[in-house]
């Protein structure tokens, strides 16, 4: 987020993939829509980022396997590397 706002100079330390895992799906935005609302679905599809969706789906599957929820402190992070999903949790 700081990079996107051109504020990365404000960070004193950037934690890497190996240093700390966030909560599952941390930072992802979810939008719900009615299945039959074709107009809204068309606009929402343009906002979707396939790699982010795949990563969040993986993380949420991990959370579900552990019977976790939004009140359970479970860390996990997925990312796409060379076309394959990598997960730590």
């Amino acid at each position: 987020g700081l990079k996107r706002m051109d504020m990365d100079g404000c960070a004193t330390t950037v934690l890497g993939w190996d240093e700390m895992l966030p909560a599952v799906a941390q930072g992802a935005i979810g939008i719900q829509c009615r299945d039959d609302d074709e107009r809204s679905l068309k606009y929402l599809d343009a906002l979707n980022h396939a790699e982010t969706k795949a990563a969040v789906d993986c993380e949420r599957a991990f959370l579900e396997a552990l019977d976790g929820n939004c009140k359970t402190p479970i860390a996990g992070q997925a990312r796409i590397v060379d076309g394959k999903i990598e997960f730590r949790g």
Side-chain angles (χ1 to χ4, degrees):
L2 290 175
K3 286 181 183 178
R4 285 192 304 274
M5 295 184 301
D6 199 26
M7 295 176 60
D8 49 334
C10 297
T12 57
T13 302
V14 175
L15 300 175
W17 171 265
D18 295 326
E19 297 174 277
M20 186 187 104
L21 291 174
V24 167
Q26 184 71 35
I29 297 172
I31 302 173
Q32 290 183 318
C33 182
R34 294 180 309 274
D35 286 338
D36 61 349
D37 189 344
E38 296 297 326
R39 182 176 181 212
S40 293
L41 288 169
K42 181 179 122 185
Y43 289 112
L44 293 175
D45 189 52
L47 297 175
N48 188 43
H49 184 259
E51 287 189 3
T52 299
K53 183 179 184 326
V56 170
D57 287 348
C58 175
E59 294 172 16
R60 289 178 57 93
F62 173 69
L63 186 67
E64 182 179 5
L66 296 177
D67 197 27
N69 58 49
C70 61
K71 295 179 181 177
T72 312
I74 296 176
Q77 188 170 32
R79 64 181 176 178
I80 308 296
V81 177
D82 296 328
K84 295 182 182 179
I85 198 155
E86 289 186 1
F87 177 78
R88 290 184 57 223

